[in-house]
Amino acid sequence: FWLLNLGFLACGFQLAFIATHLPAYLIDRGLGTQAGVAALATIALANVVGNYACGVLGGRYRQKHLLAWIYLVRALAIAVFVALPTTLAGVYVFAAVMGLLWLGTVPLTNGVLVRVFGVRYLGTLFGFVFIGHQLGSFLGVWLGGAMFEATGSYDAVWLGAIALGVAAAALHWPIDDRQVIRAAAHGAPA
């Protein structure tokens, strides 16, 4: 449970940082304001496909492994994006890749929770996991702004997003996703 929570923190950090600061980053790199709008629109469009595909794949493969791969591919996509020269074509490719992986973590994380704990308390458990996501979101947005104000660059935050993606992948792989067997309450029907 706590590994899922920590992984979702990385998710929130990456997504909120990109959604908030990517347009400004692209302007700083010499692309116009339209590049940021187009990137966010591409992310949103690709997200529709990616979210559905992750849900389907989660029914066929172990969700924890798919989550690990999502975080690892996100980290790789970010690393390639910031390492290469910033071009409009590169922005579109990056946005499409990130969009395919954007909210695919949600059905997979819920799948792990259902697999381990069942559906009875899914809303509550996902709510607690989502707190980790929101903490990560806050940190991604706030650190993006704070680091840019302090250094005039987003480089440290991009590196942090990469590191968090690798850490989240490492955290998800060893998750024990076997169902928790609970003893029936005394006097309750089985």
Side-chain angles (χ1 to χ4, degrees):
F1 177 79
W2 292 110
L3 296 176
L4 277 175
N5 204 313
L6 291 171
F8 228 37
L9 183 140
C11 181
F13 185 95
Q14 292 171 330
L15 301 190
F17 168 69
I18 291 170
T20 304
H21 295 285
L22 181 62
Y25 175 80
L26 295 177
I27 291 169
D28 289 344
R29 294 287 189 220
L31 299 178
T33 55
Q34 296 87 354
V37 171
L40 294 179
T42 302
I43 288 170
L45 183 61
N47 178 49
V48 173
V49 175
N51 198 18
Y52 177 77
C54 286
V56 170
L57 290 170
R60 295 183 184 157
Y61 303 100
R62 290 179 76 176
Q63 293 101 351
K64 71 176 193 164
H65 293 155
L66 292 171
L67 283 164
W69 281 110
I70 284 175
Y71 290 120
L72 198 56
V73 172
R74 275 189 194 171
L76 179 62
I78 293 169
V80 169
F81 178 67
V82 298
L84 294 176
T86 307
T87 65
L88 195 53
V91 169
Y92 281 124
V93 170
F94 173 71
V97 170
M98 289 305 293
L100 288 172
L101 306 172
W102 198 254
L103 290 179
T105 57
V106 174
L108 298 173
T109 299
N110 276 303
V112 173
L113 289 170
V114 167
R115 182 180 178 101
V116 174
F117 300 105
V119 296
R120 184 172 183 186
Y121 299 110
L122 177 60
T124 302
L125 292 172
F126 186 73
F128 281 117
V129 172
F130 199 65
I131 290 171
H133 189 279
Q134 295 307 92
L135 179 59
S137 296
F138 165 77
L139 291 172
V141 172
W142 178 75
L143 279 175
M147 291 303 295
F148 187 82
E149 288 294 319
T151 67
S153 169
Y154 289 109
D155 291 347
V157 187
W158 284 117
L159 291 174
I162 294 165
L164 284 172
V166 171
L171 289 171
H172 279 76
W173 204 265
I175 289 174
D176 183 1
D177 59 355
R178 293 175 293 171
Q179 182 179 12
V180 172
I181 306 297
R182 301 201 187 282
H186 182 69

